[in-house]
């Protein structure tokens, strides 16, 4: 069974949404997969996902109330098959922690790896308007279907 880790800055907006979408869509498609998410920062450690992220997900029928923020740990390089980052800053931060070529190879921009859209980074919705979460959802759903199509 593949293990997938989703990574963003705070682990309260984009990566818990990505985790929740992957978990839900894999279940719908009867694909066995293990999911987790983490932040490059520990600013929100132990917190639930942002209320706007949870509300957007709830409106799509996907609950992520069980998820709690945690920081990325170098041990994650050995625990996960795929480490998907949401933007290039996340990529650089995680890449800096990778000590082997094999670990570096696991790090991918989720949209670059899995999406057909020209957008290669999931925009950070934290400081923006509420509709930013809708944009994030749409980008992640498309990428997730493509990811599940090829694993
Ligand atoms: P995320 O969004 O990386 O998608 O979870 C953010 C969450 C919190 C902060 C920034 C981005 N923050 O500055 O606390």
């Amino acid at each position: 069974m593949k293990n997938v880790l989703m990574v963003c800055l705070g682990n309260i907006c984009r990566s818990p949404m990505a985790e929740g979408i992957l978990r839900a869509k894999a279940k719908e498609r009867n694909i066995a997969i293990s999911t987790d998410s983490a932040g490059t920062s520990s600013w929100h450690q132990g917190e639930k996902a942002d209320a706007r992220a949870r509300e957007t997900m709830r409106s799509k029928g996907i609950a992520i109330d069980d998820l709690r923020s945690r920081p990325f740990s170098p041990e994650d390089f050995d625990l996960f098959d795929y480490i998907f980052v949401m933007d290039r800053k996340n990529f650089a931060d995680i890449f800096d922690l990778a000590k082997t070529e094999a670990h570096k190879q696991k790090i991918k921009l989720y949209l670059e790896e899995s999406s057909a859209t020209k957008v290669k980074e999931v925009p950070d919705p934290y400081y923006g308007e509420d509709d930013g979460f809708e944009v994030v959802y749409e980008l992640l759903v498309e990428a997730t279907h493509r990811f599940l199509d090829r694993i």
Side-chain angles (χ1 to χ4, degrees):
M1 183 161 70
K2 295 294 185 193
N3 295 307
V4 182
L5 182 69
M6 299 293 189
V7 177
C8 64
L9 173 59
N11 190 212
I12 55 167
C13 298
R14 293 165 294 175
S15 61
M17 289 177 71
E19 180 185 356
I21 292 166
L22 179 59
R23 183 170 72 174
K25 299 301 172 192
K27 193 171 178 207
E28 271 173 33
R29 293 168 63 159
N30 279 319
I31 297 170
I33 199 167
S34 167
T35 61
D36 196 2
S37 61
T40 56
S41 76
S42 55
W43 301 337
H44 296 277
Q45 183 159 16
E47 293 176 22
K48 284 187 180 184
D50 185 282
R52 296 164 296 174
R54 284 185 281 130
E55 181 51 37
T56 300
M57 295 292 285
R58 196 176 305 121
S59 77
K60 314 294 182 185
I62 303 174
I64 55 167
D65 302 279
D66 59 309
L67 304 182
R68 297 291 182 275
S69 176
R70 71 157 176 99
F72 180 85
S73 155
E75 290 169 11
D76 291 324
F77 285 121
D78 290 317
L79 296 176
F80 294 92
D81 302 300
Y82 299 89
I83 298 174
F84 287 130
V85 294
M86 298 296 118
D87 66 30
R88 292 192 168 87
K89 177 72 166 85
N90 308 149
F91 189 99
D93 289 342
I94 299 295
F95 201 82
D96 275 350
L97 300 173
K99 293 200 166 54
T100 69
E101 197 52 39
H103 289 175
K104 289 175 184 169
Q105 291 293 331
K106 290 185 181 184
I107 313 166
K108 307 278 185 202
L109 272 175
Y110 194 40
L111 298 189
E112 190 159 83
E113 192 67 6
S114 295
S115 173
T117 66
K118 288 206 172 64
V119 186
K120 296 304 173 208
E121 300 181 279
V122 182
D124 183 346
Y126 188 66
Y127 293 108
E129 303 296 325
D130 283 5
D131 69 354
F133 287 83
E134 195 70 30
V135 171
V136 168
Y137 179 84
E138 295 302 332
L139 287 168
L140 291 173
V141 151
E142 196 250 357
T144 299
H145 280 301
R146 288 177 166 269
F147 175 63
L148 290 171
D149 284 345
R150 70 180 170 80
I151 62 163

